[in-house]
Amino acid sequence: MESLYIKDFLNFNFLSNIELSNNNLLFIKSHQNYENNNYISDAFIYNTQKNKTYKLTSVKDASLVSWLNDDTVIFKSSLRDEELKSKKDEEFIDYSLFYSININGGEAESLFNIELEVIDLYAIDEDNFLIKAVYDIEREKKRKEDNYLEWAKEEIDYEVFDEIPFWINNIGVTNKKRDRLYHYNKKENKLTAITDEYSNVHSFKYKDHKVLCIINSFTDKSLTTSELRLYYIKDINNKDVNKKKEEKIIIDSNKYAIYFADFIIDNDNKEKIITVMTDMQKYGLNENGSFYLIDESNNINLLYHYDNGIGNMIGTDCSFGGGKDIRVYKDKIYFVGTENENAHIKYLDLNGNIKNITNKQGAVNYFDISNDDNIYFIGFRDLKLEEIYCINNGLENQLTYFNEDILKDKKLSIPEKISFKTNNDFEIDGWVLNPIDYDENKKYPAILDIHGGPKTAYGEIFFNEMQVWANMGYFVFFCNPRGSEGKGNAFADIRGIYGTIDYEDIMKFTDIVIEKYSNIDKSRLGVTGGSYGGFMVNWIIGHTDRFKCAASQRSISNWIDDFGTTDIGYYFNPDELGGDVWNSFEKLWEESPLKYANNAKTPTLFIHSEEDYRCYQSQAFQMFTALKYYGVEARVCLFKGENHELSRSGKPKHRLRRLKEITYWFEKYLKLT
């Protein structure tokens, strides 16, 4: 058996976007290209009858992959047409080029191009498509004027902000930009807007000439609530599509945060709308959504109160890409739900009965359902990387082995679970990884790893950085303190008390681990975490000296500064911290790690990204400056061109450098010389 090294993650394969058509399972496989510092993504097919997998495309950057018909796949790829490239550069026009390819053989062919940045696509038929694309309000107005090119060339050097949020992490500047929904008729080469220019379309569903949209419409300030609109497109092949469009507001924008909506046929064969949404009245912005049915008269009825998060919230640094984690199939809704340390597929019927489809330890990312009721999913099992699995008559089988050879000869540490109860009987779950080649006669350093969120969770799935450190001779321990996902809304609710009960849980867990694992050298403890975990690292070093070094990643240090610089600060802080800078200045300062930085003695590394608009770079610099000011050793590594997702989807060279920086920091302070 071989050790797992820092660089080994460059060999990992990532699976996403799983979609079925008859006996063929379409998905994307991605891997990192270190030399070119990018990701290679292509479409693959798994034939469920032949149990055979084959590569469908060789474009290396396939995205928005979906079925056009049972034999044809459509996908978006980068511009390869030199004329279009030149036009894009000279005329400041975004293009999205779509291709089609027959799954039975042949080369990819150009299908159509759209003069917009397309971010989602649904094929109604071979000539008609619903397209969600970025609409730049100011630019599109200027394009109608004669001096557009002169204006566009001048504007390259400027960004103008007049609304909030003015940027969004992993997207960039969003001021006066909206995700707008269009109908595109390929035969007519006609693009028709369905939604208005100020409406941001979160998601949409199509059925029988009806389009159901979750929308956030705003000027000046985006709201945390959303609305549900239904558009009737009577004849998609009619040239006057826009004149045939009707609009109906199902839910207005005053009350609910809506996360999902789709059509469903009830037990009386009537069509209804099923939604996942919350009014946020009891637990605020982080309140988990419940399931509701809406009838044709817009009556909203609770179907099932679901207390946990929908989607896979189990943390890992080994997933890339997207997909569907909730679907309506026949008369049921299937979804991934996070409970405790697992993410399972469940179904809910229209009588309010809920049942687990998967029960094994691990996490499901995305799934689809075949006509014979088999379920295919991308997930993590045991300590394996992502693979595709099938559930047939309750039995789960692994179908792909893309990552099997990568880890089969590597030494891995099996997580050992530790649980304890808080003073109000909440159970805190945590785990310990023993050092590889553990010798009971030796003392070892240990690393505490704290997850982000805070409304995410750790589980017993493969987490690369932790396994690397275990291979390097560290104990690694991690837990799900109060504030985490998986144990209900009440457990996750730490509004207004950040750094109190969550800090107590983490410190108590640390005490229990040290007591139980006597081979841990408690004088050689390190701590790291990102996002909320970075906030907690900053908090810890200002409240205890028990850690010999720390690595704070994409962190928060000053809630006052965070309010006006980040994409969520203006609504997250009043809700989660309990006020804004005018009415609750002292409270925000009390809950800011920067206030206590003058107490810090712990050498700390700060990892941050230049384009992190979720936790802006000023957060790291303020904490770094405070430590330097008070004579504490500190270091900042700032990654250009990266955002809040550095550890999960950053450029390969940057991801490698990040892990090296953290690891070398621990080696410097925790290993005996």
Side-chain angles (χ1 to χ4, degrees):
M1 299 290 283
E2 301 175 349
S3 294
L4 182 70
Y5 296 105
I6 292 176
K7 62 179 175 56
D8 285 336
F9 86 94
L10 294 170
N11 300 320
F12 297 171
N13 293 298
F14 310 106
L15 308 180
S16 60
N17 297 86
I18 188 168
E19 294 285 343
L20 273 161
S21 181
N22 287 337
N23 299 314
N24 292 298
L25 188 64
L26 173 68
F27 61 96
I28 293 178
K29 183 177 79 69
S30 304
H31 65 273
Q32 298 175 85
N33 184 317
Y34 183 78
E35 183 177 344
N36 293 332
N37 204 23
N38 63 359
Y39 290 82
I40 303 297
S41 298
D42 272 301
F44 281 68
I45 295 288
Y46 176 84
N47 186 281
T48 60
Q49 286 189 324
K50 298 177 181 178
N51 296 323
K52 181 181 178 182
T53 303
Y54 61 92
K55 186 178 180 180
L56 183 63
T57 68
S58 297
V59 295
K60 299 183 179 181
D61 63 347
S63 63
L64 300 185
V65 177
S66 61
W67 291 100
L68 182 60
N69 55 49
D70 288 340
D71 296 314
T72 309
V73 167
I74 182 173
F75 63 93
K76 178 184 172 184
S77 187
S78 62
L79 287 179
R80 289 173 171 80
D81 186 300
E82 293 301 323
E83 183 178 343
L84 283 181
K85 283 183 180 180
S86 176
K87 191 174 181 181
K88 176 181 179 179
D89 294 337
E90 292 175 3
E91 299 185 16
F92 302 94
I93 297 173
D94 284 317
Y95 284 96
S96 296
L97 191 57
F98 287 87
Y99 298 83
S100 64
I101 186 169
N102 192 291
I103 65 172
N104 300 308
E107 298 295 322
E109 299 179 354
S110 178
L111 189 65
F112 58 81
N113 69 76
I114 302 289
E115 290 187 8
L116 289 167
E117 180 189 349
V118 177
I119 53 180
D120 198 5
L121 175 140
Y122 174 81
I124 298 172
D125 56 37
E126 295 186 17
D127 285 320
N128 292 280
F129 303 85
L130 291 176
I131 287 172
K132 184 168 75 168
V134 178
Y135 180 80
D136 189 320
I137 297 170
E138 297 297 333
R139 185 172 294 273
E140 291 304 314
K141 287 179 180 177
K142 288 291 185 180
R143 280 185 66 179
K144 299 174 184 178
E145 300 177 5
D146 293 337
N147 65 340
Y148 167 69
L149 287 180
E150 290 78 7
W151 174 86
K153 290 175 183 177
E154 180 71 17
E155 288 299 303
I156 289 175
D157 288 339
Y158 306 97
E159 294 289 359
V160 177
F161 302 147
D162 58 6
E163 62 182 26
I164 54 175
F166 40 83
W167 54 30
I168 294 177
N169 185 70
N170 205 23
I171 297 177
V173 173
T174 56
N175 195 83
K176 284 293 194 294
K177 294 179 182 178
R178 301 292 187 269
D179 295 343
R180 197 173 187 184
L181 190 64
Y182 298 83
H183 165 254
Y184 176 67
N185 184 287
K186 178 177 175 290
K187 186 180 294 184
E188 303 282 342
N189 191 28
K190 182 178 178 62
L191 188 69
T192 305
I194 295 175
T195 55
D196 63 86
E197 62 181 5
Y198 281 95
S199 289
N200 229 5
V201 177
H202 171 67
S203 64
F204 63 91
K205 295 289 183 179
Y206 174 84
K207 184 180 180 181
D208 300 333
H209 304 282
K210 302 187 298 293
V211 187
L212 186 64
C213 294
I214 300 173
I215 283 174
N216 174 229
S217 186
F218 70 97
T219 57
D220 296 324
K221 182 175 73 172
S222 178
L223 303 174
T224 56
T225 52
S226 40
E227 60 186 85
L228 190 61
R229 295 186 202 165
L230 185 63
Y231 294 90
Y232 299 89
I233 304 177
K234 295 182 180 178
D235 186 355
I236 58 175
N237 291 303
N238 190 295
K239 292 183 180 180
D240 297 322
V241 162
N242 208 38
K243 295 180 181 179
K244 298 285 185 179
K245 183 185 73 177
E246 296 179 12
E247 177 183 345
K248 179 182 180 183
I249 296 177
I250 306 297
I251 298 176
D252 64 29
S253 61
N254 294 322
K255 186 175 181 181
Y256 293 100
I258 309 169
Y259 305 122
F260 175 83
D262 202 352
F263 304 99
I264 195 168
I265 303 298
D266 70 8
N267 300 327
D268 297 322
N269 205 34
K270 292 183 179 179
E271 185 177 84
K272 291 185 176 179
I273 294 170
I274 188 164
T275 70
V276 178
M277 60 188 186
T278 172
D279 61 9
M280 302 174 286
Q281 291 301 301
K282 190 171 183 180
Y283 294 105
L285 296 178
N286 273 337
E287 184 169 298
N288 289 320
S290 291
F291 294 86
Y292 293 83
L293 282 176
I294 305 174
D295 62 24
E296 59 185 9
S297 299
N298 283 12
N299 296 310
I300 301 172
N301 297 296
L302 177 66
L303 173 63
Y304 187 85
H305 172 67
Y306 190 64
D307 202 39
N308 287 306
I310 291 176
N312 176 17
M313 304 300 289
I314 306 301
T316 180
D317 51 0
C318 300
S319 189
F320 178 84
K324 294 181 181 178
D325 55 17
I326 181 168
R327 294 175 182 269
V328 170
Y329 176 68
K330 296 181 179 178
D331 59 348
K332 299 180 179 69
I333 184 166
Y334 291 73
F335 64 97
V336 176
T338 298
E339 295 184 2
N340 296 312
E341 66 267 28
N342 299 296
H344 291 303
I345 301 176
K346 300 170 172 287
Y347 78 67
L348 175 68
D349 67 25
L350 295 181
N351 294 316
N353 301 308
I354 195 165
K355 181 182 178 181
N356 271 28
I357 302 298
T358 59
N359 291 289
K360 287 187 176 182
Q361 286 282 112
V364 174
N365 277 346
Y366 318 111
F367 69 92
D368 202 356
I369 310 169
S370 64
N371 292 330
D372 55 4
D373 296 343
N374 290 336
I375 296 180
Y376 298 84
F377 69 87
I378 296 169
F380 293 88
R381 288 292 183 255
D382 304 315
L383 287 180
K384 296 180 180 181
L385 292 163
E386 284 179 317
E387 298 292 355
I388 296 177
Y389 298 82
C390 176
I391 304 170
N392 185 331
N393 294 322
L395 298 177
E396 187 174 301
N397 297 301
Q398 183 175 338
L399 303 181
T400 64
Y401 297 86
F402 290 110
N403 290 299
E404 201 76 9
D405 291 340
I406 296 172
L407 292 181
K408 73 174 183 178
D409 294 324
K410 297 294 183 182
K411 299 176 182 179
L412 300 179
S413 183
I414 308 299
E416 298 178 358
K417 190 173 183 179
I418 296 177
S419 299
F420 66 91
K421 286 192 174 181
T422 66
N423 53 13
N424 57 354
D425 276 344
F426 279 128
E427 188 166 60
I428 307 299
D429 298 320
W431 294 265
V432 177
L433 301 181
N434 283 283
I436 295 298
D437 301 327
Y438 170 71
D439 182 347
E440 62 181 13
N441 296 311
K442 289 177 60 177
K443 287 282 190 177
Y444 293 90
I447 299 170
L448 167 64
D449 208 332
I450 306 172
H451 67 62
K455 209 162 172 284
T456 62
Y458 281 135
E460 298 179 13
I461 66 174
F462 183 82
F463 208 114
N464 181 61
E465 66 182 35
M466 297 189 196
Q467 291 290 343
V468 166
W469 296 331
N471 270 267
M472 295 179 69
Y474 293 92
F475 277 95
V476 184
F477 57 107
F478 47 100
C479 71
N480 295 329
R482 280 171 285 184
S484 302
E485 183 60 273
K487 291 182 179 290
N489 279 306
F491 183 87
D493 185 19
I494 57 170
R495 289 173 299 162
I497 51 174
Y498 277 54
T500 58
I501 59 173
D502 46 350
Y503 173 71
E504 292 171 11
D505 292 347
I506 293 169
M507 290 301 101
K508 184 174 181 180
F509 176 67
T510 300
D511 291 337
I512 292 172
V513 169
I514 291 173
E515 181 180 357
K516 182 174 181 179
Y517 292 82
S518 58
N519 290 78
I520 291 178
D521 183 349
K522 62 182 180 181
S523 69
R524 291 189 289 151
L525 299 179
V527 59
T528 189
S531 196
Y532 163 78
F535 158 83
M536 188 52 68
V537 171
N538 293 344
W539 186 268
I540 285 171
I541 64 173
H543 287 79
T544 179
D545 297 338
R546 72 187 304 177
F547 296 94
K548 194 171 183 181
C549 68
S552 175
Q553 307 169 56
R554 58 189 190 279
S555 67
I556 290 291
S557 64
N558 182 356
W559 292 114
I560 296 165
D561 174 75
D562 175 79
F563 178 89
T565 58
T566 67
D567 58 354
I568 65 173
Y570 72 93
Y571 62 82
F572 182 91
N573 292 14
D575 180 80
E576 288 296 300
L577 281 303
D580 58 36
V581 295
W582 297 276
N583 300 302
S584 304
F585 187 93
E586 289 301 324
K587 181 171 177 53
L588 293 180
W589 184 236
E590 284 289 329
E591 296 187 38
S592 295
L594 187 63
K595 177 181 178 180
Y596 311 97
N598 60 320
N599 300 323
K601 301 292 188 294
T602 308
T604 304
L605 167 70
F606 296 94
I607 299 287
H608 225 93
S609 296
E610 197 172 53
E611 297 174 12
D612 187 340
Y613 303 141
R614 185 62 39 84
C615 300
Y616 197 48
Q617 59 181 290
S618 60
Q619 298 291 318
F621 284 125
Q622 289 177 86
M623 201 71 183
F624 166 75
T625 300
L627 265 59
K628 282 294 188 181
Y629 183 77
Y630 281 102
V632 180
E633 187 164 356
R635 173 183 172 90
V636 173
C637 185
L638 184 69
F639 290 83
K640 295 183 178 181
E642 297 292 356
N643 60 62
H644 200 65
E645 304 303 310
L646 168 64
S647 64
R648 297 177 283 257
S649 60
K651 296 180 181 66
K653 290 182 179 180
H654 291 172
R655 291 180 69 179
L656 184 63
R657 175 65 181 271
R658 167 200 164 268
L659 188 50
K660 283 182 175 180
E661 283 279 340
I662 299 169
T663 303
Y664 293 166
W665 192 257
F666 288 146
E667 291 281 279
K668 177 180 178 180
Y669 288 99
L670 302 183
K671 287 296 181 74
L672 295 174
T673 56

